Amino acid sequence: MKNVLITCATSNMGSEVSKAISPKTNLFITGRDEKKLSELHKSLVVNRQGCVTSAKLDFFSSDSIDKCAELATSGDGFDGVVFIIPRIPASSEVFPDDEVWRELYEKYFILPLRLIRKLVEKSAINSGCKIVFISGLSSKTALTNYSLNNCLRSAWLGQAKTMALSLASNRISVNTISLGGVMTESYTNKMHAKAKANNLSFEKLMEDEVSNIPLQKYASVDDVTSAILALMGPLSNHMTGQNILLDGGFNRSY
């Protein structure tokens, strides 16, 4: 039976991926909110043949990461990893102070990477493992109002490429899915509030929002989940180091 790790599993995206994973799979789910993690755990164990292990994980705390890594490396290793990090704050600031940069890289790159490093050092990533990093459009193209994302997402993309090369001898695939707009519960609520504030119908607002997207829509959570599951399966048997866009055609580059 395969073992799959999902970080930030209590996020809307993470919880839906957790629910979509085959019931014959052993799941190791992590999250910062212990109440949400407990509720997700209870919902996953119903009608499931594989076991579910949950562990609190605060990516902003090295102690929390180390405790989670100790538990995660005590089993039979992982055959799949869905790696989600906390949402990077949006900002158009091009030159943050040095201390601000250090804090951002610590929280959104160095500390989360600590977990992966410990998994690799403890040989908890099995041969043939499929690793999928969840990223955003700024990993592929610079976005004006997401200057912090532009830099941090690029760092993760470089890390994924480097891992793909170094782990390939064990037939471990490392790929990235970069998302455009996704109609998560929180984003849908945000759009409803925006429509109300602008005295527009939700339908009219969304028509305007997606007018620059060839497919004329944002992705559904199911769209994203299906893409992740595909990369966790045979699709990536001969694929590694790729950054796959799921943006409805927004990015026009070759």
Side-chain angles (χ1 to χ4, degrees):
M1 192 172 288
K2 291 185 176 181
N3 304 307
V4 173
L5 165 67
I6 303 173
T7 65
C8 290
T10 52
S11 65
N12 188 201
M13 196 79 65
S15 63
E16 291 304 312
V17 173
S18 301
K19 294 170 186 175
I21 295 284
S22 168
K24 296 180 181 181
T25 301
N26 295 323
L27 285 179
F28 190 105
I29 58 172
T30 75
R32 183 165 54 179
D33 188 318
E34 291 184 280
K35 182 180 179 181
K36 287 184 177 180
L37 191 62
S38 176
E39 291 172 352
L40 178 61
H41 186 124
K42 290 177 182 177
S43 71
L44 290 173
V45 296
V46 178
N47 299 321
R48 189 170 197 88
Q49 293 170 267
C51 68
V52 180
T53 302
S54 56
K56 180 179 180 180
L57 173 60
D58 181 355
F59 270 136
F60 299 162
S61 165
S62 58
D63 288 341
S64 177
I65 292 167
D66 291 347
K67 288 177 182 177
C68 180
E70 184 177 356
L71 181 59
T73 57
S74 64
D76 296 328
F78 295 107
D79 307 292
V81 176
V82 180
F83 203 82
I84 306 170
I85 65 168
R87 183 183 298 276
I88 300 169
S91 173
S92 57
E93 190 172 1
V94 179
F95 299 107
D97 293 339
D98 291 354
E99 288 305 315
V100 173
W101 266 132
R102 290 189 184 98
E103 182 180 0
L104 287 167
Y105 270 89
E106 181 81 6
K107 284 184 173 181
Y108 297 101
F109 183 65
I110 297 171
L111 283 174
L113 185 58
R114 183 186 184 99
L115 177 63
I116 300 176
R117 173 169 56 82
K118 288 183 174 291
L119 294 178
V120 173
E121 289 175 347
K122 296 289 186 179
S123 300
I125 303 294
N126 296 335
S127 176
C129 179
K130 309 294 181 68
I131 301 174
V132 180
F133 287 103
I134 309 303
S135 188
L137 272 182
S138 52
S139 73
K140 192 73 173 180
T141 185
L143 301 176
T144 305
N145 295 318
Y146 293 87
S147 57
L148 304 180
N149 283 261
N150 293 340
C151 297
L152 290 163
R153 295 295 189 194
S154 295
W156 275 111
L157 192 61
Q159 180 65 32
K161 280 281 191 179
T162 303
M163 287 174 56
L165 293 173
S166 64
L167 300 177
S169 60
N170 287 324
R171 297 191 178 179
I172 295 170
S173 70
V174 184
N175 294 294
T176 300
I177 293 181
S178 290
L179 307 174
V182 181
M183 296 303 289
T184 60
E185 182 179 352
S186 61
Y187 193 74
T188 301
N189 291 338
K190 180 180 177 180
M191 290 297 99
H192 275 290
K194 184 176 180 179
K196 184 177 180 180
N198 288 278
N199 198 28
L200 294 171
S201 68
F202 177 73
E203 291 73 19
K204 174 57 180 172
L205 176 74
M206 292 310 301
E207 181 182 329
D208 295 340
E209 286 281 325
V210 302
S211 61
N212 61 345
I213 299 174
L215 287 182
Q216 297 287 291
K217 70 182 185 71
Y218 286 145
S220 67
V221 174
D222 283 346
D223 291 333
V224 178
T225 299
S226 296
I228 293 171
L229 294 182
L231 282 180
M232 297 283 283
L235 178 65
S236 62
N237 283 351
H238 198 60
M239 177 195 301
T240 193
Q242 301 305 302
N243 182 18
I244 298 170
L245 284 172
L246 197 69
D247 66 349
F250 175 80
N251 188 293
R252 270 74 164 178
S253 62
Y254 289 105

